[in-house]
Amino acid sequence: MPDYRRARVPGATYFFTVNLHDRTSDLLVREIGLLRASVRAARQRHPFHIDAWVVLPDHMHCLWTLPSGDANFALRWQVIKFGFSRSLPAIEARSAVHIRRRERGIWQRRYWEHLIRDDADYQRHFDYIHINPLKHGHVTRVADWPFSTFHRAVRDGVYPPTWAGEGGVEEWVTGEA
């Protein structure tokens, strides 16, 4: 059995990537209201601050800051995934492993987690989250993707509305944005 080691630092900020089991699905954006409700319910029971978040059709990236003295991000993901899954009809394909474990076939079992180390690391991940719809070719301007905290960051003065606009990913990567 693999020995997954996770950095658990109470009150820290973490970057996550969470994927659907079916990477060709558009379930996350098709059911965005349900996903938002699942996140709200999880935050009511187990608070955390959403620093940044982007939802794409088949995966999502986010930055969370946990409350002081709390490092249990795994519980929060469990609540979000379960809340989302239980509200959907059970029509997805399930492998023998899913059936044996009595699991739905909606989510990949694991997720990527990264402990944010410093301000530069935070900024890189913050930008990565917001550039992701452009990187995957869903839009030609970051501002055109509706399922992102980019719009909040613009309102807060973090980004100009044209950040990573027409020049796209190449402009952002080269630092000429």
Side-chain angles (χ1 to χ4, degrees):
M1 175 183 277
D3 181 19
Y4 292 100
R5 296 183 190 264
R6 301 225 184 248
R8 298 190 198 295
V9 178
T13 300
Y14 295 88
F15 168 82
F16 300 98
T17 299
V18 179
N19 298 306
L20 291 177
H21 181 70
D22 177 1
R23 294 300 304 269
T24 65
S25 176
D26 69 346
L27 184 63
L28 293 177
V29 295
R30 189 168 16 101
E31 295 291 346
I32 192 70
L34 178 56
L35 180 60
R36 287 175 173 151
S38 299
V39 171
R40 267 193 309 276
R43 289 180 72 200
Q44 286 174 348
R45 292 173 54 199
H46 310 285
F48 61 93
H49 182 263
I50 297 171
D51 296 73
W53 202 311
V54 67
V55 177
L56 289 104
D58 64 333
H59 72 285
M60 55 189 160
H61 301 289
C62 52
L63 272 175
W64 295 355
T65 300
L66 298 180
S68 177
D70 189 342
N72 198 351
F73 53 80
L75 174 65
R76 289 162 172 87
W77 278 118
Q78 181 181 15
V79 170
I80 291 167
K81 286 177 163 185
F82 180 77
F84 183 79
S85 299
R86 79 163 181 246
S87 299
L88 294 170
I91 58 172
E92 74 278 359
R94 291 174 36 191
S95 68
V97 172
H98 286 129
I99 293 166
R100 188 174 66 246
R101 293 181 175 161
R102 295 185 209 157
E103 294 176 348
R104 299 285 304 267
I106 295 173
W107 301 101
Q108 284 187 0
R109 295 197 81 230
R110 307 284 178 214
Y111 50 86
W112 171 257
E113 151 266 324
H114 168 77
L115 174 65
I116 298 299
R117 291 167 174 75
D118 56 30
D119 289 342
D121 193 29
Y122 181 94
Q123 190 63 53
R124 274 191 306 277
H125 285 86
F126 192 85
D127 289 346
Y128 178 81
I129 286 168
H130 294 117
I131 200 80
N132 221 253
L134 192 64
K135 175 184 168 225
H136 286 281
H138 295 298
V139 292
T140 57
R141 296 177 329 132
V142 172
D144 293 338
W145 189 251
F147 313 116
S148 170
T149 55
F150 174 77
H151 309 284
R152 181 182 74 187
V154 168
R155 279 192 308 275
D156 292 347
V158 176
Y159 293 127
T162 57
W163 182 81
E166 299 304 325
V169 175
E170 189 62 35
E171 185 178 273
W172 180 75
V173 168
T174 61
E176 297 172 14

